[in-house]
Amino acid sequence: MEKKILFPCVGGFVHGGDYNPDQWLDRLDILEEDVKLMKKAGVNCVTLGVFSWAAYEPEEGDFHFEWMEQIIENLFQNGIYTILSTPSGARPAWLDAKYLEAMRVDNKGLRNRHGGRHNHCMTSPRFRDKVAVIDRKLAEHLGRHPGVIMYHISNELGGECYCPQCVQKFQKYLAEKYDYDIDRLNMEWWTSFWSHHYNTFGEIEPPFANGETTIMGLNMEWKRFTTFNMNDFLQYEIEVLHSVTPQIPVTTNFMSLFGGLDYRKMAPGLDVVSWDNYPPFHNDGETFGETMLGSAFNHAVMRSLKRDTPFMMMESTPSLVNWHSINKLKRPGVHKLSCLQAVACGSDSVQYFQWRKGRGSYEQFHGAVVDHLGTDDTRVFREVAQVGELLQKIAPVAGTVVKSRAALLFDWDNRWAIWDVKALGQKTKKYEETCRDIWKVFLRLGVDMDVVGSDEDLSRYDVVVAPMLYLLQPETAGNLKAFVNRGGQLLATYFTGYVNDAQLCYLGGFPGDGLWELFGVISEEIDALYPSDRNGILLEDGSRWEVMDCAEILRVQDAKVLGTYTDDFYQGSAALTCKNHGKGNAYYVAARTEASQMSALFEKMLADAGIPVKKLPEGVEYHVRSGEEGNYEFYLNCTTEPVELSGVNGYDMVTDAPVSEKLTLPEYGAAVIRL
Ligand code: GAL
């Protein structure tokens, strides 16, 4: 497999982060010191200008890029490259004062006032004009500098605007989507219910909090439109930059499972996927290892947006954040471990927010590489410098990718539909948790699943798990059937295939769109359990899975029953089934259990697919990156005790020592084994 080195000039991994010199323009001594310290920390790239609009254009039409040019040049002379951001993440006060329409309108129809960031109307032509002007000038003045290796569009795009211009655009979007056929929209949105009929597209309002929120089709289309409009804005910025400097790749920083945007629709327009990783380390609700697994899942979601290419961890904190409910320090050693985890999961960068702490305002106590103390003689700085050294050591890993033969299906449309549906227990739907928990069990078995959309090509996978696939995209049923028919191992759960893309229920049996034939079962009823209710599933081998939250009552058509309910009026009826299709198997788990209880079943699916399982001690993560030269195995000890692993052979790039059979990792220790 050919390597996809993101930035050959950097010679391996990107190490750096957000740098905000515009906050220090009156302190040349500090700016000079920054470069010296960056070199000491092994920083080879910084992200500049994320929030620099007011410094570039202090008054409308009065542009100043010289200061930034000097900074980029000075960094470049010192071997440090630049990821240049467009400044559209926050607006200067003059812009809002003059162009009121740039400020968002909320879901009660109230226009925001100036302030904060990330709160612009993405439709406003005036705001877009201003963005185009600054972006073009930015590209002209700075984009051609040899130190600039990438554009970072805006910052953490998100949010919704309900202003009249957005409403109009939404109506146009709907008219085009429904071929100007309002009857079709009425039919798909089931508007005969509660007299919701629309005569024209012009009558449709978005789901204002004090307006229409009870049409599932409307709510879904509003979310889809918000993604469409945000993507349109993103592409608008990209086009302006590309018109001047087409050769520079682009990214924008995503926020893992952020619910407001369907990232799968946005990723194709980017050259590289990047995201911001801020796990709540050392919290009191879960073990450290669990928190790490949560991050690993997020990395997998992000990595799977562009399979076969490394992604970037655009932001992370070197020490602590200032916006968690409790802002706890990362314990010694955790920084290195969590950075290596990002790399293990496919990132070709370790980047921080931010390089130096700002003296004032909202983020003055957010962690940074350089503290207010201003020296390299701090624990945090030393740990960052160690990461810099380590990344150089493992530089050959850059450009390799995580290749998985197993996938978890996880959909944004399905998430939105499940959030919105009036069914099950309102607080116990837990779609994301269910997906994450299952994914974690596979990782504990040493299998780093991709996380892909339900309409994606499954031809590279041999095991697919599709939890709670309530909404079926038009292609999904066909894809799943084809997957099983060519010998794939498929597992679906309760709450699968209830509605189509428009959220109309399937008639004639769930899972719909013909999927009940694939599984050989029809779900006749679904029971929601109170938090203290429990049921069980008794398996053929006598073991018992505990059931909570929801349980379907199945009508078995032609599947084998592998487990039955232990309690309640449906005691003895099928709860776990399998229908065989040649080498392929379609498993159906009708009730929610702890994901870990299904581990043996997952192992069987993996074994049938010929995917090796790795038994790892509790709290140890295993990931593999592959390239043309072979594999790199990552072992991460996410516990506070040393662990011993057996059967590990190769060369540990972390300790620079061969490993034969036995590998000992200290607390929070890690190894990168070249095979
Ligand atoms: C991110 C944001 C950064 C910074 C950081 C603090 O969400 O992109 O600008 O605010 O959080 O953790």
Side-chain angles (χ1 to χ4, degrees):
M1 249 211 85
E2 211 195 315
K3 280 201 190 188
K4 301 264 167 39
I5 308 267
L6 295 184
F7 307 107
C9 59
V10 172
F13 292 99
V14 168
H15 184 221
D18 282 22
Y19 178 37
N20 297 306
D22 32 330
Q23 295 174 17
W24 301 99
L25 290 177
D26 61 339
R27 290 295 304 267
L28 294 183
D29 56 326
I30 286 189
L31 296 183
E32 242 172 65
E33 183 67 6
D34 278 337
V35 178
K36 284 190 204 140
L37 293 177
M38 281 178 195
K39 288 165 87 172
K40 279 195 178 172
V43 162
N44 57 19
C45 182
V46 290
T47 309
L48 286 170
V50 183
F51 297 111
S52 297
W53 198 333
Y56 290 143
E57 193 181 5
E59 287 186 55
E60 187 171 14
D62 176 21
F63 295 99
H64 295 272
F65 294 100
E66 334 69 54
W67 63 274
M68 186 60 106
E69 199 178 348
Q70 273 174 27
I71 285 171
I72 295 175
E73 171 62 15
N74 187 28
L75 289 164
F76 183 61
Q77 290 306 329
N78 284 280
I80 300 164
Y81 289 87
T82 292
I83 293 174
L84 185 62
S85 187
T86 63
S88 64
R91 306 174 308 276
W94 60 257
L95 196 150
D96 284 348
K98 184 154 177 202
Y99 305 105
L100 287 187
E101 64 169 58
M103 293 181 283
R104 250 176 219 173
V105 169
D106 73 10
N107 67 359
K108 290 219 177 87
L110 189 67
R111 194 172 290 279
N112 284 346
R113 305 193 67 88
H114 171 73
R117 57 177 178 173
H118 301 173
N119 56 7
H120 357 277
C121 168
M122 296 303 179
T123 303
S124 157
R126 295 213 164 79
F127 177 56
R128 286 192 176 209
D129 281 351
K130 290 286 125 192
V131 170
V133 171
I134 190 94
D135 282 3
R136 182 163 296 112
K137 293 211 176 279
L138 186 85
E140 286 167 356
H141 286 87
L142 306 173
R144 295 194 182 98
H145 193 285
V148 174
I149 55 171
M150 184 181 224
Y151 287 127
H152 170 301
I153 310 294
S154 205
N155 193 61
E156 295 192 336
L157 295 168
E160 301 173 338
C161 174
Y162 290 72
C163 77
Q165 299 191 93
C166 285
V167 173
Q168 247 185 20
K169 198 168 178 184
F170 178 49
Q171 291 166 348
K172 182 165 175 282
Y173 159 91
L174 290 174
E176 284 170 3
K177 172 153 188 176
Y178 287 90
D179 293 326
Y180 295 86
D181 183 348
I182 197 72
D183 292 339
R184 205 182 110 208
L185 177 140
N186 278 304
M187 204 269 290
E188 292 202 5
W189 290 10
W190 209 249
T191 57
S192 46
F193 173 78
W194 284 355
S195 209
H196 282 155
H197 185 86
Y198 295 107
N199 285 334
T200 64
F201 286 94
E203 286 174 1
I204 303 174
E205 287 195 328
F208 279 101
N210 47 354
E212 179 57 87
T213 59
T214 59
I215 302 178
M216 273 54 199
L218 168 68
N219 298 345
M220 174 66 84
E221 286 307 336
W222 175 247
K223 294 216 170 296
R224 288 176 177 157
F225 165 76
T226 299
T227 294
F228 158 82
N229 203 23
M230 194 64 81
N231 208 13
D232 188 55
F233 182 86
L234 172 69
Q235 290 308 318
Y236 175 84
E237 286 211 67
I238 293 174
E239 270 165 36
V240 173
L241 297 169
H242 275 173
S243 69
V244 184
T245 44
Q247 72 287 1
I248 300 187
V250 293
T251 191
T252 188
N253 48 344
F254 288 154
M255 297 172 279
S256 62
L257 299 195
F258 175 65
L261 293 170
D262 182 348
Y263 287 149
R264 289 216 175 87
K265 302 268 174 350
M266 300 173 78
L270 303 172
D271 294 294
V272 181
V273 166
S274 66
W275 80 285
D276 300 344
N277 179 27
Y278 293 104
F281 287 126
H282 317 292
N283 68 65
D284 59 358
E286 62 187 356
T287 63
F288 176 78
E290 281 295 320
T291 310
M292 285 289 280
L293 283 169
S295 283
F297 174 72
N298 291 341
H299 283 307
V301 175
M302 292 291 115
R303 151 188 111 218
S304 307
L305 292 174
K306 265 193 197 298
R307 297 174 289 185
D308 304 329
T309 311
F311 66 93
M312 296 171 78
M313 181 169 72
M314 186 57 77
E315 293 181 23
S316 62
T317 177
S319 53
L320 78 178
V321 299
N322 67 340
W323 50 267
H324 286 166
S325 54
I326 304 282
N327 298 300
K328 193 158 179 164
L329 294 173
K330 285 198 223 175
R331 274 32 204 164
V334 167
H335 182 60
K336 189 159 86 183
L337 184 68
S338 62
C339 292
L340 260 187
Q341 183 194 45
V343 170
C345 294
S347 175
D348 267 10
S349 83
V350 168
Q351 293 161 276
Y352 312 121
F353 180 87
Q354 59 176 331
W355 168 253
R356 179 185 283 274
K357 282 188 183 175
R359 274 188 84 182
S361 271
Y362 198 75
E363 292 181 323
Q364 64 192 141
F365 295 112
H366 190 290
V369 181
V370 182
D371 211 319
H372 297 298
L373 188 61
T375 90
D376 56 343
D377 186 18
T378 62
R379 176 182 75 89
V380 170
F381 191 97
R382 280 190 292 276
E383 291 200 35
V384 166
Q386 278 170 19
V387 168
E389 264 172 46
L390 182 60
L391 291 176
Q392 279 175 19
K393 270 188 173 178
I394 63 168
V397 180
T400 61
V401 291
V402 175
K403 301 231 78 169
S404 192
R405 288 171 55 203
L408 180 110
L409 302 196
F410 176 80
D411 253 12
W412 260 261
D413 272 7
N414 192 44
R415 290 175 83 184
W416 293 335
I418 291 178
W419 291 356
D420 206 25
V421 67
K422 298 284 161 220
L424 309 181
Q426 290 302 331
K427 288 195 178 144
T428 50
K429 294 175 181 172
K430 297 187 177 168
Y431 174 56
E432 290 80 1
E433 293 90 323
T434 303
C435 289
R436 189 167 36 223
D437 288 350
I438 290 175
W439 187 91
K440 287 178 178 179
V441 175
F442 275 87
L443 194 71
R444 287 200 187 97
L445 295 169
V447 177
D448 197 345
M449 286 173 134
D450 284 349
V451 183
V452 301
S454 62
D455 53 351
E456 278 183 65
D457 171 26
L458 301 176
S459 57
R460 60 172 77 192
Y461 304 114
D462 297 306
V463 168
V464 166
V465 179
M468 296 178 76
L469 209 52
Y470 164 72
L471 177 149
L472 294 182
Q473 306 280 359
E475 302 83 7
T476 304
N479 279 351
L480 293 178
K481 284 180 205 165
F483 170 75
V484 176
N485 285 327
R486 70 154 176 82
Q489 308 300 312
L490 171 68
L491 184 139
T493 71
Y494 54 91
F495 216 46
T496 290
Y498 280 40
V499 297
N500 67 13
D501 197 33
Q503 290 175 90
L504 290 178
C505 286
Y506 283 106
L507 303 181
F510 303 152
D513 208 7
L515 271 187
W516 65 262
E517 284 169 333
L518 183 69
F519 293 100
V521 295
I522 289 179
S523 160
E524 191 174 312
E525 291 188 82
I526 187 159
D527 197 12
L529 276 59
Y530 278 90
S532 60
D533 290 340
R534 286 292 178 273
N535 202 325
I537 300 177
L538 184 65
L539 304 187
E540 281 175 318
D541 64 3
S543 58
R544 184 184 186 276
W545 295 350
E546 192 165 61
V547 167
M548 74 267 307
D549 298 339
C550 40
E552 276 179 343
I553 304 172
L554 297 184
R555 220 187 246 223
V556 178
Q557 304 291 115
D558 55 353
K560 189 166 180 242
V561 177
L562 305 178
T564 51
Y565 286 111
T566 57
D567 292 286
D568 221 318
F569 74 94
Y570 38 97
Q571 179 183 19
S573 74
L576 169 65
T577 62
C578 177
K579 182 168 169 183
N580 187 252
H581 300 256
K583 282 196 180 139
N585 286 305
Y587 293 91
Y588 196 86
V589 182
R592 180 172 293 157
T593 70
E594 291 289 349
S596 57
Q597 297 198 311
M598 294 190 275
S599 188
L601 175 59
F602 298 158
E603 271 188 61
K604 171 159 176 24
M605 293 170 70
L606 290 166
D608 287 345
I611 300 177
V613 159
K614 218 173 171 73
K615 287 286 164 67
L616 297 155
E618 184 64 32
V620 174
E621 269 180 39
Y622 172 72
H623 304 268
V624 185
R625 288 186 66 160
S626 315
E628 52 201 351
E629 69 277 33
N631 288 348
Y632 299 91
E633 292 187 326
F634 288 72
Y635 293 89
L636 312 174
N637 178 7
C638 306
T639 75
T640 48
E641 299 297 325
V643 291
E644 253 190 29
L645 299 158
S646 53
V648 183
N649 290 293
Y651 186 83
D652 183 3
M653 298 167 85
V654 176
T655 54
D656 270 326
V659 179
S660 121
E661 278 309 309
K662 231 178 70 183
L663 173 72
T664 307
L665 295 176
E667 74 166 312
Y668 300 137
V672 181
I673 307 289
R674 201 172 59 210
L675 295 182

